[in-house]
Amino acid sequence: MSGFGNEFSSEDPRCPGSLPEGQNNPQVSPYGLYAEQLSGSAFTCPRPANKRSWLYRILPSVKHKPFTSVPCGDLTENWNEVEPDPNQLRWLPFTIPKATEKKVDFVAGLHTVCGAGDAKSRNGIGVHVYTCNTSMVDRCFNNSDGDFLIVPQQGEILITTEFGKMMVEPNEICVIQQGMCFSVDVFGETRGYILEVYGAHFELPDLGPIGANGLANPRDFLCPVAWYEDRKVPTGYTVINKYQGKLFACQQDFSPFNVVAWHGNYTPYKYNLKNFMVINCVAFDHADPSIFTVLTAKSTRPGVAIADFVIFPPRWGVADHTFRPPYYHRNCMSEFMGLIKGHYEAKEEGFQPGGASLHSIMTPHGPDVDCFEKNSTAELKPERVAEGTMAFMFESSFSMAVTKWGLHTCQKLDKNYYQCWEPLRSHFNPNWKPGKQ
């Protein structure tokens, strides 16, 4: 179903009429189902921010054995494992384990790279990668801490949720909001990135003078239709819950994907990045990358995001008398970048699909020497930029700390990254004179 934040309703066609008529919680629901509300906001939030859905399920989610603590692996919210590192950081493509050596599913393949804040106080973010090779079997994941924005880079993923199924391919994204159970099927060696946000939900950025249309249009977001399975699991079905930065597991004897019908505006959803309507400069100068914002999670400060999801899609470059690639920059925000495919325009070598970079708050960054020299003398004719490429950025107002896994354990940190700027030389000419304009 299409739309962003709409009031949706869906019922599995195998059970027509399974949505109650005229009320949410009848004394007896159709087909003998249980009514269960999933609240994504406080009851008293203003209507534009009020998020909830009603699920009509074969058994309620409360029917499970007690949760017990389980190992977190490389998933963490400990931002003080290692000393802070303000350097420009770049990672080579993160290793995907071979299925012949070890079977790793989505949850076991989660690794935290960096983050900040605290899930207990409902304010912060985590940046993770997932590297896996096998599907989740009789296991699901439920994040009590926040929302997952998932960016597949290699291999499509089939996500089964309580609301239905979504196939998500590279160059698409999906958002699984807080509290929603989901399971991930993969079809080979699979890798991607995750932006986790505590305490806020993603929304479309305000368009201001752009007007009523542009950037990511609401109609291009898709949410699943109802699908259920009435499946007993006598050997035990495992629900893994991320709670206050730790993992817990409980057992139940049935599949949690037993929702026959649902209605509401709190759903998982997906979006194809090729549908992004790109805004760009058509006269001179390089516009700020905020014009490429797909989704934002707002903070309480006007105009300042907990996190923005920004992309750098294929587009036309036409600016006159302008250095067209991204400018040299020091930023009061943290910038974590990943590459889904292709070559990023500011660094065509070294920054590879499946890798990443982090430019922390006020850490200088910008084009490497080859990019600068090439584009300082290039003929400024209209040209396609980033053709066949899709880079993205998780930008945050938080000063993100890198984990021990990110700095050491993954063994993918490119310790020579700084060298891409070393050959930059001075072009200063004290005898330069202004020419005729």
Side-chain angles (χ1 to χ4, degrees):
M1 295 179 288
S2 127
F4 188 88
N6 293 10
E7 285 285 341
F8 295 106
S9 62
S10 183
E11 53 187 35
D12 191 302
R14 291 172 288 176
C15 295
S18 45
L19 279 172
E21 291 187 10
Q23 64 179 121
N24 296 320
N25 193 22
Q27 185 176 23
V28 178
S29 295
Y31 293 91
L33 298 170
Y34 287 86
E36 178 179 292
Q37 184 175 198
L38 176 62
S39 293
S41 65
F43 293 143
T44 51
C45 275
R47 283 198 177 223
N50 208 300
K51 304 295 180 185
R52 59 88 185 93
S53 286
W54 282 90
L55 313 179
Y56 300 91
R57 54 197 318 153
I58 295 168
L59 283 170
S61 56
V62 71
K63 181 178 164 63
H64 63 78
K65 303 296 184 185
F67 281 103
T68 57
S69 178
V70 295
C72 295
D74 296 316
L75 191 68
T76 184
E77 197 190 287
N78 182 357
W79 311 129
N80 299 305
E81 291 179 302
V82 290
E83 289 297 307
D85 189 340
N87 286 302
Q88 302 95 347
L89 301 177
R90 181 168 71 186
W91 289 268
L92 300 172
F94 297 103
T95 301
I96 307 173
K98 300 289 185 183
T100 53
E101 298 173 3
K102 183 180 181 182
K103 291 185 180 294
V104 178
D105 69 12
F106 176 85
V107 174
L110 289 171
H111 312 276
T112 305
V113 180
C114 55
D118 175 39
K120 296 187 187 75
S121 61
R122 312 289 298 118
N123 190 33
I125 66 168
V127 174
H128 319 283
V129 295
Y130 64 90
T131 55
C132 53
N133 56 38
T134 192
S135 299
M136 295 173 67
V137 178
D138 292 337
R139 279 159 54 95
C140 73
F141 187 76
N142 172 27
N143 188 355
S144 295
D145 290 339
D147 293 7
F148 267 6
L149 188 157
I150 302 174
V151 185
Q153 185 274 318
Q154 178 176 318
E156 65 268 30
I157 53 177
L158 176 61
I159 302 180
T160 302
T161 77
E162 295 169 279
F163 294 78
K165 297 189 176 191
M166 300 186 294
M167 180 70 82
V168 188
E169 302 177 352
N171 217 50
E172 295 182 318
I173 62 166
C174 72
V175 172
I176 310 293
Q177 304 196 75
Q178 181 188 13
M180 298 177 180
C181 290
F182 69 98
S183 182
V184 177
D185 286 350
V186 302
F187 307 92
E189 294 181 357
T190 306
R191 177 172 56 206
Y193 311 85
I194 299 174
L195 171 59
E196 181 183 15
V197 174
Y198 319 136
H201 297 300
F202 290 101
E203 54 189 275
L204 295 174
D206 296 324
L207 294 181
I210 292 173
N213 306 287
L215 308 187
N217 289 310
R219 64 178 292 199
D220 292 324
F221 288 82
L222 302 174
C223 77
V225 295
W227 176 89
Y228 77 92
E229 60 177 6
D230 185 9
R231 183 167 66 92
K232 292 290 185 182
V233 188
T235 55
Y237 194 104
T238 303
V239 178
I240 302 165
N241 183 17
K242 181 176 180 292
Y243 176 74
Q244 294 188 3
K246 303 292 185 180
L247 293 185
F248 299 83
C250 71
Q251 296 292 312
Q252 56 190 52
D253 61 0
F254 61 95
S255 167
F257 304 118
N258 62 359
V259 177
V260 176
W262 61 268
H263 76 85
N265 63 356
Y266 189 56
T267 73
Y269 55 88
K270 62 177 259 184
Y271 175 75
N272 194 320
L273 301 180
K274 74 178 184 181
N275 292 325
F276 188 80
M277 196 277 266
V278 185
I279 301 290
N280 205 4
C281 172
V282 295
F284 61 89
D285 274 354
H286 189 292
D288 293 328
S290 49
I291 61 170
F292 301 131
T293 302
V294 180
L295 292 168
T296 183
K298 294 179 178 178
S299 75
T300 55
R301 290 177 289 165
V304 179
I306 293 174
D308 288 328
F309 174 63
V310 179
I311 62 173
F312 302 94
R315 58 200 183 275
W316 280 98
V318 299
D320 290 327
H321 46 86
T322 294
F323 182 77
R324 290 178 178 175
Y327 40 70
Y328 292 99
H329 195 204
R330 289 180 295 162
N331 195 356
C332 65
M333 308 281 276
S334 300
E335 302 180 16
F336 177 94
M337 287 193 63
L339 186 60
I340 298 170
K341 59 181 180 178
H343 301 275
Y344 179 54
E345 60 202 271
K347 297 180 187 67
E348 295 196 2
E349 301 297 331
F351 187 45
Q352 302 174 39
S357 68
L358 175 65
H359 299 141
S360 297
I361 284 179
M362 291 304 173
T363 294
H365 55 279
D368 62 20
V369 63
D370 292 336
C371 178
F372 179 82
E373 297 294 344
K374 173 184 173 183
N375 287 277
S376 295
T377 58
E379 181 184 356
L380 294 179
K381 57 185 179 181
E383 61 178 347
R384 292 290 291 172
V385 178
E387 198 67 55
T389 291
M390 186 61 76
F392 70 87
M393 178 167 65
F394 300 153
E395 185 177 61
S396 175
S397 57
F398 281 85
S399 184
M400 292 196 283
V402 183
T403 62
K404 182 179 179 182
W405 185 88
L407 282 179
H408 304 297
T409 311
C410 72
Q411 297 185 338
K412 288 297 177 180
L413 195 64
D414 181 358
K415 296 183 179 179
N416 297 320
Y417 182 30
Y418 73 96
Q419 293 178 2
C420 74
W421 294 289
E422 287 291 287
L424 287 168
R425 58 190 176 88
S426 172
H427 294 275
F428 176 64
N429 178 6
N431 298 316
W432 178 86
K433 303 297 182 190
K436 290 184 178 181
Q437 300 297 315

